[in-house]
Amino acid sequence: LRQVSDLSDFSRGHWLRELLCRGEEPSHVQSSPDGQHLLLLQKSRPPTLPRVVAFQRHSIAGADLERSWQPPQPAVVGLLFLQSSVILGSWVLAVVWEHGRTEIWHFVVAVGWQLLQTLELCQGARARVVSVCSQGASLVWCEERPPLGAHSDMTKCAFRFCVCARALEVGEQGVQLSAVSIVLHNSPEYQVLASPQHIFLVPAAAGFATTSKFLLIWHPEKAKFTITAPSAGFIHRKVLRSSSESDFRKLLLGSVGLLSGFAPLDIHTSTVSSSGGLLLVSTKGSVSVLEPDGTQRHIFDLEGGPLAPGSRVQLKTFGSILACVLAGVLYLVDQNSGRLIEKEILSIKEVHFLESQGEEDSIQLLTQTGIYSFSFSKPEDSSRPEPCLVEMVFEEACRYYQRRSLSSSKLTVEKLKKGGTFQAPVVLAAILQHSLHQKQKPARGLQDTYTKLLSTMSLELQSYMSLELLKTCVVCAPESEVESYCKELVEQEVSRILQSDMDKDNLAYLNSVFASFPKAAWKATRSCLQLQQNEDGLLVARATPEVWKKVLCQPQLEEVGQNGMVPLFELICASFLRFKPKWLPSFVELTQQYVSNSWSYSSKEGPEGRIPLYKRALGVLARKNKHSEADDEMELELLLCSKRPKAVLQALHLLIHLKQWQRVVEVAEKFSKLSPLLNKEIFTTLLAEFAQHRELDPFLNRLWPLCPAELTASDILTVVLQHLPHSQEDPVPFSSERNQLTVGLLKPLLQRVVQRPSVQDEMYLDTLQSTTFPPPTPPREH
């Protein structure tokens, strides 16, 4: 943590330092896009007046920006830097007041701040802006529109707010505002927060309990809203095709029953991250991020327990690092893993984050004594793996023993090292330190009891060391060689995880690997499962039973969570769809063969105890962004490869819907042999289709042999009569339609059924064919 500036490089720097030291802490601090201007907004605090002040680095003589106002006058609700649509890289400052008046300021070198124009943002004179944000060159705000009647219904007063948007264009002729676009009307009060592509609508703290159970995300380019609740994830998405659909109540019409069962939102602080997500801090001190697709992911828990109502939490992201300041303590957290990188106790409690121009690996803080920069880049001599690896052993051991412990007290690394009860991690740490040091330094003495373990673990250690060496090569390699290293690294990582326990952390890690390196993960999966085609063109896998069990396991919902984590089987199916879609049905068939050999059909311990594998594969197919004709064909193949009666009938109905009659008959001929019950269902379905139209007439010579033995002529006529099409014309003998069913078409089937020996005839067949029938006449008695 080093000082970058003592504020002397700012215009009127002594005044800025004096203002901060007097305890007049600004309610809002913002730096310009180029980092050369610092804007402070002070709320009303006696004896000074509320005001907006701009400070400039390396000042050149010119007009300063300082605006103050008397307390009866409406307050400033937003200081926004807007991009200029005319001059690339240029920007203007918009000062938005509560009653809608907006001042547009522009900074010119050697001239200073100039007021370009004053505009009226709202259309109504009684409107009041409660929250405002900017996205590119557009302004989005939430305004209050009070009812005309003084004693209006309270339920109507609750929905008196409106979310609006206007584009602002700065040209040579001045500043122009486009027409007001209504985003959402008749809504409760919302705080609007802008990311580069989305607008987050966070309910105000004083909102009603019924409307404070969910968040809204507006996608301006697609004109759609996403409704999401942190406790349940994505709920509903609706495209607004016209302005009449932008009513708040119509938006929630289909989700009211679902939302009523959720708990109210627990939000203490909210801000937008640099990656476009919404960072949320709960009153319990839990930090999470809400993605634009509606999913939420927990990142970190702040120390100190529940937050006081008036406590101030500041959040800002710098790349993948989340910086958080609470009560004079700076936390640096890795957003991807949730790991605490650094915890720094500051001597000053009130600090403000500034934009770090061109320095992604540092954080700048504004304090009373100056601007400080905190660098979180690793020193070159701290890359030795030994201490980190040994510490990892103890942390993993803590998690393992904590899972097996019956005690509620939390096990720490210090207790693990000093207790003397847990010998395994101590032994492993000693062996690792010895083996890692022996290449660089002379081998230190190792206990005799550890030597045997070292010889047993030598192959595993060599594998681990080669993996660590490969990771180092990935980090240090030039861009041209990174891809080849990544392929090898991903293959080793996937193979390593498939040989270990498939717990929640390993599954989350696999999800990130498949998302970051899809092609390398696909090749690694083929290698681990040994997938290949044999001489007959059939897919063959030579994986071990242990690997199959990990591939097919389906974790419980509470283990997976609702933040987009996908089981391994679904990950592999998605890779098949992306890189080798023709193999997917064969792969599902292979997995079903393994399941039938390993578990009984009704076993709930097996992977098909909850959801059949073909349905899991169909779920992956349904989640594709774009649906094509090839996907319809894939759905048919997945249904048929399962060989389950319901799936076969579903595929048959799908083929009938597509009017592919040749394939309908082929599927009927193939799957009617599986079971008599399925044969009866298939034939009855096709007989009903035959009664309705004449599309199946060319295939009747193949269809009639499929007739089950137990169907009689009366059964066939009953099915036909139930499915005859209703005609508005004359009766059948006098009908002019050519698609009517005639007796001549049905005659071959009825003859086949009537001439077929009945069940009773077969029972007495042996007796009827006997050579002694009829029996000889008994002798007469005289």
Side-chain angles (χ1 to χ4, degrees):
L1 187 64
R2 60 185 180 86
Q3 187 174 12
V4 178
S5 169
D6 60 354
L7 304 182
S8 60
D9 56 342
F10 279 95
S11 62
R12 300 177 296 168
H14 61 285
W15 185 29
L16 173 60
R17 192 183 304 109
E18 181 183 352
L19 184 147
L20 293 172
C21 291
R22 280 204 308 256
E24 299 178 14
E25 290 298 334
S27 59
H28 181 78
V29 176
Q30 190 170 354
S31 55
S32 62
D34 57 7
Q36 296 299 312
H37 301 269
L38 189 65
L39 269 77
L40 273 66
L41 172 62
Q42 286 182 286
K43 292 293 179 68
S44 177
R45 180 183 295 178
T48 59
L49 296 175
R51 56 184 171 176
V52 177
V53 187
F55 298 91
Q56 180 196 358
R57 282 181 183 267
H58 314 296
S59 174
I60 302 174
D64 295 325
L65 172 61
E66 183 176 355
R67 296 282 283 109
S68 60
W69 61 94
Q70 297 293 334
Q73 185 180 349
V76 171
V77 292
L79 301 173
L80 307 171
F81 289 101
L82 303 174
Q83 298 175 0
S84 175
S85 57
V86 178
I87 306 173
L88 186 64
S90 179
W91 49 268
V92 294
L93 171 66
V95 182
V96 183
W97 307 81
E98 194 177 48
H99 57 305
R101 180 170 298 169
T102 303
E103 295 181 355
I104 307 299
W105 292 79
H106 180 54
F107 183 82
V108 181
V109 179
V111 177
W113 287 96
Q114 290 183 329
L115 178 63
L116 295 181
Q117 201 162 341
T118 301
L119 307 167
E120 292 296 335
L121 200 60
C122 305
Q123 288 183 330
R126 304 174 69 245
R128 183 177 71 91
V129 178
V130 295
S131 176
V132 63
C133 66
S134 63
Q135 189 181 65
S138 297
L139 289 171
V140 181
W141 72 94
C142 178
E143 67 178 44
E144 180 184 12
R145 294 182 174 180
L148 296 175
H151 303 285
S152 300
D153 187 7
M154 284 303 295
T155 57
K156 294 182 179 179
C157 292
F159 301 97
R160 63 183 185 273
F161 293 88
C162 181
V163 180
C164 310
R166 296 184 81 169
L168 186 143
E169 183 177 346
V170 181
E172 297 179 356
Q173 304 299 326
V175 183
Q176 293 184 350
L177 277 174
S178 66
V180 176
S181 172
I182 303 296
V183 178
L184 193 68
H185 61 86
N186 295 332
S187 75
E189 182 180 353
Y190 278 111
Q191 179 191 6
V192 290
L193 299 168
S195 73
Q197 284 84 28
H198 311 88
I199 303 292
F200 295 95
L201 276 66
V202 182
F208 283 74
T210 53
T211 60
S212 61
K213 296 181 178 182
F214 55 90
L215 296 164
L216 297 178
I217 306 172
W218 180 44
H219 310 263
E221 292 183 357
K222 301 178 181 178
K224 66 180 180 181
F225 268 100
T226 297
I227 307 172
T228 178
S231 59
F234 167 78
I235 295 174
H236 181 61
R237 183 174 289 125
K238 184 175 181 180
V239 179
L240 305 181
R241 296 179 176 84
S242 63
S243 58
S244 61
E245 296 183 358
S246 61
D247 185 80
F248 178 76
R249 295 171 185 174
K250 289 183 180 179
L251 179 67
L252 300 180
L253 195 59
S255 309
V256 174
L258 181 63
L259 293 170
S260 62
F262 294 150
L265 296 174
D266 181 16
I267 300 177
H268 181 278
T269 306
S270 60
T271 187
V272 178
S273 68
S274 58
S275 61
L278 180 66
L279 293 168
L280 300 172
V281 182
S282 69
T283 56
K284 298 177 183 177
S286 175
V287 183
S288 58
V289 60
L290 179 71
E291 301 295 345
D293 60 358
T295 58
Q296 186 181 19
R297 179 172 57 88
H298 175 262
I299 297 179
F300 182 67
D301 289 325
L302 297 171
E303 298 176 358
L307 303 178
S311 60
R312 186 176 181 183
V313 181
Q314 294 192 68
L315 300 172
K316 194 168 182 62
T317 54
F318 299 83
S320 63
I321 304 299
L322 168 64
C324 178
V325 174
L326 172 63
V329 180
L330 172 65
Y331 300 90
L332 299 180
V333 183
D334 186 354
Q335 284 189 92
N336 299 325
S337 63
R339 182 172 60 91
L340 179 64
I341 299 174
E342 190 75 31
K343 177 184 174 183
E344 186 81 11
I345 300 176
L346 306 175
S347 58
I348 301 174
K349 289 188 176 182
E350 291 295 336
V351 297
H352 301 273
F353 288 116
L354 299 179
E355 295 290 341
S356 301
Q357 297 297 323
E359 299 181 10
E360 295 184 355
D361 59 346
S362 66
I363 296 173
Q364 287 196 358
L365 304 170
L366 173 67
T367 68
Q368 299 173 3
T369 57
I371 297 176
Y372 291 83
S373 175
F374 190 95
S375 177
F376 45 82
S377 58
K378 296 181 179 179
E380 294 181 1
D381 57 350
S382 66
S383 58
R384 292 173 58 188
E386 295 91 335
C388 180
L389 180 58
V390 172
E391 196 67 24
M392 191 192 305
V393 170
F394 286 109
E395 290 177 359
E396 188 68 27
C398 277
R399 292 170 52 192
Y400 172 76
Y401 288 121
Q402 191 74 52
R403 237 180 3 246
R404 295 171 56 91
S405 175
L406 299 177
S407 173
S408 60
S409 61
K410 189 174 182 181
L411 184 64
T412 62
V413 175
E414 288 72 19
K415 292 181 183 177
L416 194 68
K417 291 179 179 178
K418 297 177 182 177
T421 309
F422 309 100
Q423 290 297 314
V426 178
V427 173
L428 181 58
I431 291 174
L432 287 175
Q433 285 179 333
H434 177 273
S435 60
L436 289 170
H437 276 283
Q438 63 185 0
K439 291 185 178 180
Q440 300 174 357
K441 301 177 182 178
R444 294 178 293 177
L446 191 66
Q447 296 183 21
D448 296 335
T449 53
Y450 297 173
T451 307
K452 188 176 180 180
L453 282 172
L454 178 58
S455 62
T456 307
M457 295 174 55
S458 58
L459 291 177
E460 295 293 333
L461 278 172
Q462 290 176 12
S463 175
Y464 183 84
M465 288 302 296
S466 64
L467 183 61
E468 289 299 313
L469 181 62
L470 183 58
K471 289 180 179 178
T472 307
C473 292
V474 172
V475 174
C476 303
E479 292 184 6
S480 58
E481 301 176 7
V482 166
E483 186 176 355
S484 60
Y485 281 127
C486 285
K487 290 180 182 177
E488 186 179 350
L489 177 60
V490 169
E491 184 171 346
Q492 291 193 28
E493 288 288 81
V494 172
S495 176
R496 178 181 65 83
I497 292 177
L498 288 180
Q499 292 172 6
S500 57
D501 294 334
M502 188 58 66
D503 56 6
K504 182 180 177 182
D505 294 334
N506 279 339
L507 185 59
Y509 180 53
L510 269 180
N511 272 259
S512 63
V513 169
F514 272 77
S516 304
F517 308 99
K519 193 170 184 179
W522 158 245
K523 292 185 178 180
T525 303
R526 286 185 58 180
S527 176
C528 292
L529 296 178
Q530 299 185 40
L531 290 171
Q532 56 186 358
Q533 281 184 319
N534 60 8
E535 298 176 353
D536 301 328
L538 300 176
L539 190 65
V540 179
R542 296 185 175 87
T544 60
E546 289 75 16
V547 173
W548 271 123
K549 287 182 180 179
K550 292 180 177 65
V551 168
L552 299 178
C553 69
Q554 186 180 15
Q556 298 287 346
L557 184 62
E558 58 269 15
E559 295 177 3
V560 176
Q562 298 177 341
N563 292 320
M565 197 191 302
V566 179
L568 180 55
F569 178 76
E570 277 79 354
L571 284 176
I572 296 176
C573 287
S575 293
F576 270 105
L577 281 175
R578 183 169 181 177
F579 298 105
K580 203 75 172 178
K582 293 182 180 179
W583 282 12
L584 180 57
S586 302
F587 173 71
V588 175
E589 201 167 356
L590 273 178
T591 56
Q592 289 177 155
Q593 291 174 8
Y594 173 75
V595 169
S596 61
N597 295 332
S598 303
W599 289 283
S600 61
Y601 182 77
S602 60
S603 172
K604 293 199 174 180
E605 296 178 359
E608 294 214 340
R610 293 186 291 271
I611 302 176
L613 291 171
Y614 80 94
K615 285 190 177 181
R616 294 172 63 180
L618 285 172
V620 177
L621 180 65
R623 285 193 289 269
K624 284 187 66 176
N625 294 331
K626 296 181 179 179
H627 198 78
S628 60
E629 294 182 2
D631 295 334
D632 292 333
E633 184 67 25
M634 179 64 65
E635 183 179 354
L636 281 169
E637 293 294 332
L638 289 174
L639 288 170
L640 294 175
C641 77
S642 69
K643 297 181 181 179
R644 291 198 169 196
K646 288 184 178 179
V648 171
L649 289 173
Q650 186 179 345
L652 193 69
H653 284 290
L654 186 57
L655 286 170
I656 291 173
H657 176 72
L658 296 174
K659 297 184 179 182
Q660 298 182 12
W661 305 111
Q662 176 72 28
R663 291 196 63 188
V664 166
V665 177
E666 291 174 358
V667 168
E669 289 177 335
K670 179 179 179 181
F671 291 95
S672 292
K673 303 172 185 178
L674 292 182
S675 70
L677 186 61
L678 181 58
N679 181 20
K680 184 177 180 181
E681 290 284 345
I682 290 175
F683 183 79
T684 306
T685 302
L686 296 184
L687 187 61
E689 288 294 322
F690 164 75
Q692 295 175 28
H693 50 74
R694 306 276 55 81
E695 302 287 349
L696 281 170
D697 289 358
F699 308 99
L700 294 183
N701 59 338
R702 297 168 62 183
L703 185 60
W704 298 150
L706 302 180
C707 180
E710 64 270 18
L711 277 187
T712 62
S714 61
D715 295 335
I716 292 173
L717 290 174
T718 301
V719 174
V720 169
L721 291 174
Q722 285 176 348
H723 293 87
L724 281 175
H726 297 287
S727 176
Q728 302 296 331
E729 298 184 1
D730 299 329
V732 173
F734 309 102
S735 176
S736 59
E737 295 185 6
R738 296 181 179 180
N739 62 348
Q740 289 289 345
L741 175 63
T742 62
V743 178
L745 291 172
L746 200 58
K747 183 178 177 181
L749 174 63
L750 295 176
Q751 284 180 339
R752 186 185 186 91
V753 173
V754 171
Q755 293 173 1
R756 187 169 52 201
S758 64
V759 178
Q760 292 183 352
D761 292 342
E762 292 178 356
M763 290 173 60
Y764 298 107
L765 187 62
D766 296 337
T767 305
L768 294 172
Q769 293 179 354
S770 175
T771 55
T772 59
F773 185 82
T777 305
R780 294 172 181 261
E781 294 182 359
H782 299 283

XYZ file of all heavy atoms in Angstrom, residues 270-297:
192
model
N -25.838 -2.757 -2.910
C -25.798 -3.333 -4.259
C -25.029 -2.400 -5.173
O -25.121 -1.170 -5.059
C -27.214 -3.559 -4.799
O -27.922 -2.336 -4.858
N -24.259 -2.987 -6.093
C -23.511 -2.224 -7.087
C -23.216 -3.142 -8.259
O -23.331 -4.367 -8.149
C -22.199 -1.656 -6.502
O -21.590 -0.802 -7.459
C -21.234 -2.770 -6.147
N -22.827 -2.564 -9.397
C -22.563 -3.343 -10.606
C -21.068 -3.601 -10.723
O -20.255 -2.694 -10.513
C -23.080 -2.599 -11.859
C -22.768 -3.396 -13.116
C -24.583 -2.387 -11.748
N -20.710 -4.854 -11.052
C -19.301 -5.209 -11.215
C -18.823 -4.854 -12.624
O -19.618 -4.572 -13.518
C -19.097 -6.706 -10.962
O -19.712 -7.466 -11.979
N -17.511 -4.906 -12.823
C -16.942 -4.582 -14.133
C -17.300 -5.617 -15.188
O -17.288 -5.334 -16.381
C -15.415 -4.481 -14.023
O -14.879 -5.701 -13.523
N -17.648 -6.845 -14.768
C -18.012 -7.895 -15.715
C -19.481 -7.848 -16.111
O -19.922 -8.646 -16.942
C -17.696 -9.269 -15.123
O -18.437 -9.476 -13.931
N -20.274 -6.938 -15.523
C -21.674 -6.803 -15.892
C -22.641 -7.468 -14.953
O -23.848 -7.431 -15.188
N -22.178 -8.092 -13.861
C -23.053 -8.697 -12.866
C -23.413 -7.705 -11.767
O -22.810 -6.638 -11.637
N -24.414 -8.069 -10.973
C -24.862 -7.221 -9.873
C -24.335 -7.795 -8.567
O -24.667 -8.919 -8.187
C -26.394 -7.153 -9.836
C -27.011 -6.304 -8.725
C -26.659 -4.832 -8.922
C -28.515 -6.490 -8.663
N -23.489 -7.029 -7.882
C -22.937 -7.454 -6.598
C -23.917 -7.092 -5.487
O -24.381 -5.950 -5.404
C -21.587 -6.779 -6.345
C -20.438 -7.188 -7.270
C -19.260 -6.247 -7.101
C -20.013 -8.622 -6.995
N -24.235 -8.065 -4.650
C -25.198 -7.880 -3.569
C -24.543 -8.234 -2.238
O -23.858 -9.260 -2.128
C -26.432 -8.761 -3.775
C -27.235 -8.541 -5.057
C -28.300 -9.607 -5.203
C -27.860 -7.162 -5.061
N -24.764 -7.398 -1.235
C -24.308 -7.674 0.128
C -25.549 -7.776 1.002
O -26.360 -6.844 1.058
C -23.365 -6.561 0.650
C -22.871 -6.908 2.046
C -22.188 -6.371 -0.295
N -25.714 -8.908 1.685
C -26.868 -9.093 2.565
C -26.588 -8.480 3.932
O -25.441 -8.137 4.261
C -27.188 -10.584 2.707
O -26.172 -11.236 3.437
N -27.641 -8.360 4.734
C -27.462 -7.818 6.091
C -26.660 -8.761 6.973
O -26.165 -8.349 8.017
C -28.836 -7.569 6.728
O -29.595 -8.788 6.702
C -29.596 -6.491 5.972
N -26.511 -10.012 6.564
C -25.694 -10.972 7.325
C -24.228 -10.909 6.934
O -23.413 -11.646 7.492
C -26.231 -12.387 7.110
C -27.660 -12.574 7.600
C -28.160 -13.972 7.281
C -29.616 -14.133 7.719
N -30.151 -15.471 7.358
N -23.879 -10.096 5.939
C -22.490 -9.959 5.516
C -22.090 -10.891 4.397
O -20.900 -11.055 4.124
N -23.062 -11.500 3.712
C -22.758 -12.415 2.616
C -22.701 -11.640 1.304
O -23.617 -10.894 0.974
C -23.818 -13.510 2.540
O -23.606 -14.322 1.421
N -21.624 -11.801 0.547
C -21.424 -11.131 -0.736
C -21.676 -12.139 -1.850
O -21.099 -13.229 -1.857
C -20.004 -10.550 -0.862
C -19.852 -9.783 -2.179
C -19.697 -9.639 0.313
N -22.553 -11.792 -2.791
C -22.859 -12.670 -3.925
C -22.994 -11.823 -5.182
O -23.104 -10.602 -5.119
C -24.148 -13.466 -3.667
O -25.229 -12.584 -3.422
N -23.003 -12.495 -6.332
C -23.139 -11.807 -7.617
C -24.331 -12.396 -8.360
O -24.518 -13.608 -8.402
C -21.841 -11.928 -8.455
C -21.506 -13.380 -8.752
C -21.963 -11.143 -9.764
N -25.160 -11.518 -8.903
C -26.318 -11.906 -9.709
C -25.976 -11.672 -11.169
O -25.726 -10.538 -11.574
C -27.551 -11.088 -9.302
C -28.837 -11.371 -10.078
C -29.392 -12.728 -9.706
C -29.879 -10.292 -9.804
N -25.950 -12.754 -11.956
C -25.605 -12.651 -13.371
C -26.813 -12.139 -14.182
O -27.959 -12.274 -13.747
C -25.152 -14.008 -13.909
C -23.947 -14.589 -13.189
C -22.684 -13.769 -13.373
O -22.664 -12.904 -14.277
O -21.727 -13.965 -12.614
N -26.564 -11.581 -15.374
C -27.683 -11.067 -16.186
C -28.690 -12.132 -16.615
O -29.811 -11.798 -16.980
C -26.973 -10.466 -17.408
C -25.609 -10.127 -16.930
C -25.265 -11.180 -15.929
N -28.307 -13.430 -16.581
C -29.271 -14.470 -16.951
C -30.155 -14.892 -15.794
O -30.993 -15.783 -15.942
C -28.543 -15.693 -17.513
C -27.569 -16.307 -16.508
O -27.439 -15.751 -15.396
O -26.949 -17.322 -16.823
N -29.991 -14.266 -14.603
C -30.866 -14.543 -13.482
C -30.293 -15.488 -12.449
O -30.920 -15.721 -11.418
N -29.120 -16.064 -12.674
C -28.521 -16.974 -11.704
C -27.663 -16.192 -10.717
O -27.045 -15.191 -11.068
C -27.653 -18.034 -12.398
O -26.629 -17.376 -13.167
C -28.496 -18.888 -13.316
N -27.622 -16.685 -9.480
C -26.854 -16.022 -8.430
C -25.782 -16.967 -7.918
O -25.995 -18.176 -7.807
C -27.756 -15.599 -7.276
C -27.009 -14.757 -6.223
C -27.899 -14.352 -5.079
O -28.937 -14.951 -4.872
N -27.507 -13.350 -4.327
N -24.605 -16.398 -7.596
C -23.476 -17.192 -7.106
C -22.886 -16.524 -5.867
O -22.614 -15.326 -5.869
C -22.423 -17.319 -8.211
C -21.181 -18.097 -7.813
C -20.308 -18.331 -9.038
N -19.946 -17.097 -9.694
C -18.868 -16.372 -9.354
N -18.085 -16.746 -8.359
N -18.588 -15.257 -10.014
